[in-house]
Amino acid sequence: MERGNGVTDPEYSPPPGAEPEPPVAAERVFGDRLPLARRYCAALATAGVERGLIGPREVPRLWDRHILNCAVLGELIPASATVVDIGSGAGLPGIPLAIARPDLRITLVEPLLRRTIFLAEFIESAGLNVTVVRGRAEQPDVRKVAGGADVVTSRAVAPLAKLAKWSLPLVHDRGRMLALKGSSAAEELERDRDDLARAGGGNAQVLECGAGIVDPPTVVLSVERLPRAERRAERNQAKRRR
């Protein structure tokens, strides 16, 4: 339910059947913050569907396919890291990460107004320490506000070549972009290695996280932003791999 000012009421219980029950694994991931994760699930199942942020067919699989699938990304992020989530949409993966890992300092970057309103409303009602920036990752003003992060995350935003151009400028040298991808991640990496090198990226890997929590595990493309002195060597290696 929404109050008159459009803020999602944290005390609201969705209609029967609107919010799926969390699986047992959710407690392993969220611990004593599971009520916050349930509140987020309820917001997605109600306001998220009503505003077109989540399709109604996704509601029964919100936990496994969306919330837990994103929260387990925290396995790959160091303690107290600064994280920028680009193209955050309905808050995936940024909000599940913020709930599961309150030590992280997270900024959500999203260009569409209706999505940023939803994000800001939920963050305020849930009391999360998360910042929302309306804009696109490639914009200079967004880079000024959100740049210098330890990690940049994304989910279903763009092909790897474009994603690297948008993500890597937002992290410091040796920082990483962590892009949630599907089963074709390895093929995408091989296809776009030259583009990664041109964008200043290297040491790319296809990783999995969430084993025993989500099935199949979450697939992540991890790319490091190289210091300038190492970028030429990476580009030369990319040329030799052709």
Side-chain angles (χ1 to χ4, degrees):
M1 179 179 181
E2 292 182 355
R3 300 171 180 154
N5 62 1
V7 176
T8 304
D9 187 340
E11 302 302 322
Y12 171 62
S13 295
E19 177 200 354
E21 286 295 310
V24 174
E27 189 167 1
R28 290 173 53 194
V29 175
F30 295 108
D32 61 3
R33 290 167 69 84
L34 180 57
L36 277 179
R38 295 192 65 156
R39 188 184 300 178
Y40 179 54
C41 184
L44 291 177
T46 53
V49 172
E50 292 161 10
R51 301 184 194 187
L53 306 184
I54 291 286
R57 293 183 179 180
E58 295 302 309
V59 171
R61 47 191 181 182
L62 279 174
W63 284 105
D64 290 335
R65 184 168 180 174
H66 299 286
I67 297 173
L68 288 173
N69 180 265
C70 291
V72 296
L73 184 61
E75 295 176 8
L76 306 179
I77 300 177
S80 303
T82 54
V83 179
V84 178
D85 182 34
I86 67 170
S88 197
L92 300 163
I95 288 181
L97 276 175
I99 296 172
R101 292 282 308 277
D103 61 303
L104 302 178
R105 291 165 289 166
I106 297 179
T107 298
L108 310 181
V109 176
E110 169 54 47
L112 294 185
L113 178 61
R114 64 187 172 88
R115 294 176 179 172
T116 58
I117 290 173
F118 171 84
L119 295 172
E121 288 173 357
F122 179 78
I123 288 164
E124 180 182 2
S125 71
L128 296 177
N129 183 24
V130 176
T131 301
V132 179
V133 174
R134 186 184 174 199
R136 298 183 182 278
E138 64 269 30
Q139 293 174 331
D141 56 338
V142 172
R143 291 183 179 180
K144 184 180 293 186
V145 171
D150 299 312
V151 174
V152 171
T153 61
S154 59
R155 182 178 190 247
V157 171
L160 183 57
K162 283 187 178 180
L163 201 54
K165 291 179 183 178
W166 298 341
S167 299
L168 290 174
L170 290 173
V171 296
H172 56 67
D173 286 351
R174 301 300 184 195
R176 283 196 166 267
M177 61 174 272
L178 298 175
L180 277 71
K181 290 288 184 178
S183 58
S184 61
E187 290 85 348
E188 190 173 359
L189 176 57
E190 288 306 309
R191 183 194 68 203
D192 293 342
R193 277 191 184 275
D194 288 358
D195 296 283
L196 285 181
R198 283 192 289 269
N203 299 321
Q205 307 172 69
V206 178
L207 305 174
E208 290 187 346
C209 52
I213 297 171
V214 289
D215 185 21
T218 299
V219 178
V220 180
L221 267 172
S222 173
V223 182
E224 183 180 22
R225 174 173 169 165
L226 299 178
R228 190 174 297 275
E230 297 179 22
R231 295 178 190 176
R232 179 176 294 181
E234 183 67 22
R235 289 195 293 268
N236 289 338
Q237 286 184 21
K239 288 178 182 177
R240 288 195 292 270
R241 285 192 294 262
R242 291 177 188 173

